[in-house]
Amino acid sequence: MAPVLSDESERLLQNRSFVAFWLARTSSGFGFQMLSIIVGWQIYAQTHSAFWLGMIGLIQFLPSVMLALWAGHIADQFDRRRVVLLAQICEWAAIVALAWLTWQGDASVGVILLLVFIISTAKTMESPSLISMLPALVPNTILPRATAANAVAGQAAQIVGPALGGFLYATGAEVVYTITAVLYLISLLMVATLRYQQAQPPRTPATLSTLFAGVRFIRARPDVLGVISLDLFAVLLGGATALLPIFAHDVLHTGPFGLGLLRSAPAVGALLVGFWLSRRTLQRNVGMIMFFCVAGFGAATLIFAFSSWMWLSLLALFALGGFDMVSMVIRGSLVQLDTPDDMRGRVNAVNAIFINTSNQLGEFESGMLAAWLGAVPAAAIGGVGTLVVVGLWMWWFPGLRQRQQLANDVQKEEVEALEGDPDRSAL
């Protein structure tokens, strides 16, 4: 018997622009995950140096922080679909160059890092425009489901992409680069077919005032500031996954296979919960649900910290990923719905800086604390810190705690006016 879909689920599946958008993000997501694993393998095979592996992360991190505000300004000043197309063309060309140079045996470490820098720069310029397109493609009522469906694709790419890239590496790095280039070409074609319309504001030069407009907007909106800062500090403190190799070897006494299971558990939990959210709509008490899930993230971190059983550790990491997925969908949808379209690029750029910073600094914080106190106390402190942050944020942001629905009244009026647009309805 075929599953019965709700009217909202059918509208999501029948929206051709969203399907094209989802296919584009899925294809490029899988390609990027495959690319990440192969670049690391290729550089380590040439250098056998952890230093050069660290340089990959640095080269990817710098553009994401240095150019994010410019990328947000561009997303609000120019046609976002064209910005995404141009950025993905640059990424695709760099990947093709990686494939060709590897095939010819001319892919030196310096050349690989240069091309990775080009890809990272283009991806930084692409990200705010790509994220800001989604609310214009689907009606307000199904935006949370669309956000969850995109998150499912991202989690699937994180689970399958590296494994698939590693498996195909046996056939040669150039083969993996070629497949990645094909995936990016599919993404390009899908973006090119999008039926996307964006109101074009008057062009303004990039000044400190326009570049930091997203920061001012976030500071003036307590709910937006609350969800973005909550994500920053919760991830910053709850970075126990960075310590998985230590837990696998010294606490759980397992090998590489066990480490692989531990790394996969959060993504599997997030994937299953994201799939469920793509078929359900959160309609009440979204603020308290978000706080509960962030608290659940902290509690799961605590359980993992003190667990000495493999099955309990896997269960805790599975729950950690599931809780994080729920809060991520709520946070992402709320930021999109509370931000006017002409500000989404700059707000999403600031949000991206917060996310990148929290991920990178969270791993650094966990590593330094573990080196000082040990892995178990470090993870436990992170879990307790996350719970403390939840309590403080519930006190400091009462409006967010009392929030019932994702869309506020102003945004409801804006989106309801757009829902008559045939490009955004079920086609």
Side-chain angles (χ1 to χ4, degrees):
M1 181 177 178
V4 178
L5 298 177
S6 66
D7 291 341
E8 291 180 353
S9 296
E10 289 182 353
R11 290 177 72 188
L12 183 61
L13 293 174
Q14 292 171 3
N15 189 314
R16 295 176 187 172
S17 291
F18 171 74
V19 171
F21 180 86
W22 185 86
L23 288 174
R25 294 207 66 176
T26 302
S27 298
S28 61
F30 269 84
F32 184 77
Q33 291 296 328
M34 293 173 63
L35 179 70
S36 298
I37 196 73
I38 295 307
V39 165
W41 272 107
Q42 192 175 19
I43 286 183
Y44 191 73
Q46 292 187 35
T47 65
H48 298 286
S49 170
F51 170 80
W52 289 109
L53 289 178
M55 288 298 295
I56 300 174
L58 179 63
I59 283 177
Q60 291 178 316
F61 176 68
L62 288 177
S64 68
V65 174
M66 296 174 63
L67 300 176
L69 295 180
W70 287 93
H73 174 79
I74 289 172
D76 290 335
Q77 291 288 304
F78 299 92
D79 184 274
R80 291 167 183 156
R81 188 173 70 95
R82 293 183 180 178
V83 173
V84 172
L85 280 173
L86 180 60
Q88 289 198 351
I89 288 172
C90 293
E91 295 169 50
W92 175 79
I95 295 169
V96 170
L98 278 170
W100 174 254
L101 292 171
T102 302
W103 191 278
Q104 297 294 316
D106 295 328
S108 65
V109 172
V111 171
I112 294 173
L113 290 177
L114 174 61
L115 292 171
V116 169
F117 179 78
I118 292 173
I119 294 170
S120 300
T121 300
K123 201 164 190 65
T124 298
M125 303 305 295
E126 168 198 355
S127 181
S129 293
L130 186 64
I131 297 172
S132 301
M133 287 173 65
L134 182 57
L137 298 177
V138 298
N140 170 48
T141 54
I142 58 176
L143 178 60
R145 296 192 182 190
T147 302
N150 277 316
V152 166
Q155 292 297 328
Q158 289 184 31
I159 296 171
V160 180
L164 182 61
F167 175 77
L168 293 174
Y169 187 79
T171 62
E174 65 276 5
V175 175
V176 185
Y177 286 136
T178 302
I179 295 173
T180 302
V182 172
L183 289 171
Y184 266 83
L185 184 60
I186 293 173
S187 179
L188 272 169
L189 294 175
M190 290 298 101
V191 173
T193 64
L194 283 177
R195 298 174 62 181
Y196 174 77
Q197 292 183 348
Q198 172 187 348
Q200 293 296 321
R203 296 282 170 82
T204 58
T207 64
L208 286 178
S209 177
T210 59
L211 290 177
F212 284 89
V215 177
R216 292 196 304 274
F217 178 89
I218 291 171
R219 289 183 60 186
R221 304 304 193 278
D223 285 2
V224 178
L225 175 62
V227 294
I228 291 179
S229 57
L230 177 66
D231 178 56
L232 169 65
F233 287 101
V235 174
L236 181 65
L237 293 171
T241 52
L243 306 176
L244 286 182
I246 300 175
F247 275 90
H249 186 271
D250 297 339
V251 178
L252 301 173
H253 306 292
T254 185
F257 178 72
L259 176 59
L261 291 177
L262 292 171
R263 286 194 178 278
S264 298
V268 172
L271 179 66
L272 294 179
V273 172
F275 180 75
W276 181 82
L277 286 173
S278 69
R279 298 167 59 87
R280 300 289 189 275
T281 299
L282 299 173
Q283 297 179 335
R284 296 183 60 187
N285 299 317
V286 295
M288 285 303 298
I289 290 173
M290 180 190 66
F291 281 121
F292 172 81
C293 288
V294 178
F297 179 91
T301 302
L302 268 175
I303 293 172
F304 173 77
F306 291 112
S307 170
S308 57
W309 296 301
M310 185 69 175
W311 65 268
L312 182 58
S313 296
L314 288 172
L315 186 61
L317 291 173
F318 177 88
L320 182 149
F323 282 126
D324 187 49
M325 172 60 75
V326 178
S327 65
M328 182 180 68
V329 168
I330 293 176
R331 294 193 309 264
S333 300
L334 191 148
V335 170
Q336 295 279 41
L337 290 170
D338 275 19
T339 306
D341 187 64
D342 62 348
M343 285 293 300
R344 283 195 179 111
R346 283 166 286 183
V347 170
N348 282 319
V350 176
N351 193 21
I353 293 176
F354 274 53
I355 292 172
N356 290 330
T357 301
S358 63
N359 288 334
Q360 299 288 337
L361 292 184
E363 293 183 3
F364 176 76
E365 176 269 336
S366 296
M368 294 300 100
L369 200 58
W372 182 34
L373 299 175
V376 172
I381 290 173
V384 172
T386 300
L387 294 174
V388 171
V389 166
V390 171
L392 290 174
W393 261 242
M394 291 179 69
W395 180 28
W396 289 341
F397 298 94
L400 188 57
R401 184 184 70 241
Q402 297 164 6
R403 182 127 177 181
Q404 293 294 311
Q405 296 181 326
L406 290 171
N408 60 27
D409 293 337
V410 174
Q411 194 65 19
K412 283 180 184 177
E413 294 177 1
E414 176 185 335
V415 178
E416 286 170 0
L418 291 172
E419 284 187 348
D421 187 344
D423 289 338
R424 300 179 73 240
S425 60
L427 300 175

